[in-house]
Amino acid sequence: MTDDGVYDVVGVGLGPFNLGLAALLDGLEEDVDAAFLERDAEFRWHEGMLLEGATLEVPFLADLVTLADPTNPHSYLNYLRETGRIYEFYFYERFQIPRREYDDYLRWVAERLGSCRFSREVTAVRWDADREQYVVAAEHPETGERFEYRGEHLALGIGSRPQVPDALECEADEDVFHTARYRHERDRALAADSITVVGSGQSAAEVFQDLLERQPEGGYRLDWLTRSEGFFPMEYSKLGLQHFSPEYERYVYDLPQEVKDDLIPNQDLLYKGVDPGTSAEIYDLLYRRSIGDREPDVGLFAMTEVRDVEPVGDAYALDCRQWQAEEPFVHESEVVILGTGYERPVPDFLEPLADRIAWDDRGRFEVTADHRLEIDAAGDVFLQNAEVHTHGVGVPDLGLGCDRNAGFVNRLVGREAYPEDTDTVFQDFSVERFLERAPGASRPGSEPTPTPTQDD
């Protein structure tokens, strides 16, 4: 086993959030020793969904560092400057950048940081009480070489994995797959006579749009089914976006857990709907295809639960139920693409720490207001996108990841190396904050504020 030393913080997983933490730590006045471990051989970010024309759902300002430090050399704008594309972007005149370019930007940052360690799959994490260190065991996925890292603190950024309901599981070599694999499996899909997309989120919409654009050449039947009541747009109004702010996260955190458990599942359209631009492009394409009294070989059917998938000859039979009318039916398709979302299970490598971790009554992490795991150990465990149940729908947001990382860095160095913003939106979520800002407002039973008169 290779002993790779002792660090101030060891990061497990290297997606945008932990990469952002590594970028903010780089170049500080303080010398913070950090190692970020990733099982892949190189940086990868949603490879299966890097489609031509697909854009980020947040502005480019939500890069790894800008919202905490616009002067940071790892910013997206500096990436453009260093790669000789800043004037091209200047004339591009858009806030939402191509997803493929965001992936290229992340790779550019990862290559510049000496703290990134690839081909390191973490197998176990334990707490050494004598030395007050986390001991992180890892191995090379291909060679089996083993490594040991020690850190005073941990940063968990393992991300999410595709979620496929048990009833829709098929063998890996079958033509039923998650949207996360779409780009890799697309050629197989295009050779089919019929394709069905299941789900109504942004990933499903982008896959449907891509297939719709290619349909004239492929000549396949294309259907889109969703359990939702419709193919509704994601909330993207300026006032609605204020739910993705530090203030709203703090408001949600202070709510009783039972209130949060009712609230969060009902906020789907804040982050799970279809981007309005994508929706418009799909509609416009369907409209053009219908000119001349033509009927596009396309079906869109909402309120439809897919309960099972079974092979039938060269195709699959989808056992469906229109839940609003309570009408069952069977739909056949040669290829089925599942836009069924993602899940964030507790990783197996935390098993040695299980007795030290605080769990709620549903087996979820107990989490502090500043996104740390409640744990019986002296070292902090910083959580990256594992605390939706405590902090709300903004947790996976790329822009809020920067705010979260600024707090982590400040705690590591013991000072405010980066500002922690407290007044970022015009909206008030808590009564206390509203009372502070609204002259004349008061709680029942308190002395009212006198109303000014003309004589005053």
Side-chain angles (χ1 to χ4, degrees), residues 50-62:
L50 296 180
L51 306 179
E52 190 71 38
T55 63
L56 278 188
E57 295 161 33
V58 294
F60 72 88
L61 292 172

Side-chain angles (χ1 to χ4, degrees), residues 283-344:
Y283 183 88
D284 291 352
L285 185 53
L286 289 170
Y287 181 81
R288 292 193 295 272
R289 294 267 177 89
S290 68
I291 294 173
D293 200 28
R294 292 182 298 171
E295 189 71 30
D297 197 9
V298 173
L300 287 81
F301 204 47
M303 299 168 289
T304 300
E305 176 187 10
V306 180
R307 300 180 292 190
D308 195 13
V309 176
E310 293 288 344
V312 177
D314 295 331
Y316 294 88
L318 282 66
D319 176 16
C320 302
R321 173 178 171 268
Q322 207 279 22
W323 55 262
Q324 199 169 66
E326 297 185 353
E327 294 183 4
F329 65 96
V330 175
H331 170 71
E332 288 194 10
S333 182
E334 288 190 12
V335 171
V336 181
I337 304 174
L338 304 174
T340 47
Y342 293 80
E343 60 183 351
R344 299 170 182 83

Side-chain angles (χ1 to χ4, degrees), residues 118-408:
F118 293 96
S119 296
R120 301 290 188 271
E121 183 170 9
V122 173
T123 57
V125 179
R126 64 179 177 86
W127 174 250
D128 185 336
D130 293 332
R131 297 187 183 182
E132 293 195 335
Q133 295 170 346
Y134 291 100
V135 182
V136 182
E139 64 179 38
H140 194 292
E142 296 181 2
T143 67
E145 182 181 0
R146 293 184 297 166
F147 305 87
E148 182 176 280
Y149 296 81
R150 287 176 171 266
E152 295 182 18
H153 309 283
L154 281 180
L156 293 183
I158 58 171
S160 57
R161 69 183 185 190
Q163 182 178 34
V164 176
D166 291 341
L168 306 186
E169 285 278 8
C170 287
E171 296 298 325
D173 60 347
E174 302 286 359
D175 288 328
V176 178
F177 55 87
H178 195 275
T179 53
R181 292 168 44 201
Y182 173 67
R183 199 164 65 96
H184 306 301
E185 307 290 347
R186 181 168 57 190
D187 288 344
R188 293 174 63 185
L190 296 177
D193 289 332
S194 55
I195 306 172
T196 298
V197 179
V198 178
S200 61
Q202 180 64 15
S203 294
E206 289 176 2
V207 167
F208 181 81
Q209 180 185 1
D210 188 67
L211 290 169
L212 185 62
E213 291 171 347
R214 299 169 186 271
Q215 190 183 28
E217 295 179 8
Y220 41 77
R221 166 74 186 183
L222 179 60
D223 292 287
W224 189 7
L225 309 179
T226 178
R227 184 174 53 186
S228 301
E229 293 187 33
F231 300 92
F232 295 124
M234 188 185 309
E235 171 57 52
Y236 208 74
S237 67
K238 294 181 179 180
L239 291 177
L241 287 175
Q242 293 183 103
H243 287 83
F244 298 93
S245 64
E247 282 91 338
Y248 187 68
E249 273 200 340
R250 286 190 285 270
Y251 165 74
V252 171
Y253 183 82
D254 289 336
L255 293 173
Q257 188 61 54
E258 60 270 21
V259 175
K260 287 186 267 193
D261 289 339
D262 288 337
L263 169 70
I264 295 169
N266 292 311
Q267 293 183 307
D268 281 6
L269 292 183
L270 285 176
Y271 68 111
K272 286 187 177 180
V274 180
D275 176 81
T278 304
S279 178
E281 290 171 6
I282 289 172
Y283 183 88
D284 291 352
L285 185 53
L286 289 170
Y287 181 81
R288 292 193 295 272
R289 294 267 177 89
S290 68
I291 294 173
D293 200 28
R294 292 182 298 171
E295 189 71 30
D297 197 9
V298 173
L300 287 81
F301 204 47
M303 299 168 289
T304 300
E305 176 187 10
V306 180
R307 300 180 292 190
D308 195 13
V309 176
E310 293 288 344
V312 177
D314 295 331
Y316 294 88
L318 282 66
D319 176 16
C320 302
R321 173 178 171 268
Q322 207 279 22
W323 55 262
Q324 199 169 66
E326 297 185 353
E327 294 183 4
F329 65 96
V330 175
H331 170 71
E332 288 194 10
S333 182
E334 288 190 12
V335 171
V336 181
I337 304 174
L338 304 174
T340 47
Y342 293 80
E343 60 183 351
R344 299 170 182 83
V346 176
D348 293 338
F349 62 72
L350 288 182
E351 180 59 32
L353 293 176
D355 292 341
R356 293 181 175 272
I357 294 172
W359 308 91
D360 71 8
D361 57 5
R362 294 194 185 184
R364 302 171 297 191
F365 293 146
E366 294 279 10
V367 185
T368 66
D370 56 356
H371 302 270
R372 291 178 295 118
L373 180 64
E374 292 275 11
I375 187 169
D376 181 20
D380 289 327
V381 178
F382 303 121
L383 295 179
Q384 303 274 31
N385 196 10
E387 66 279 23
V388 170
H389 63 287
T390 58
H391 287 71
V393 297
V395 166
D397 186 75
L398 293 174
L400 280 177
C402 193
D403 175 78
R404 182 169 60 227
N405 279 331
F408 293 163

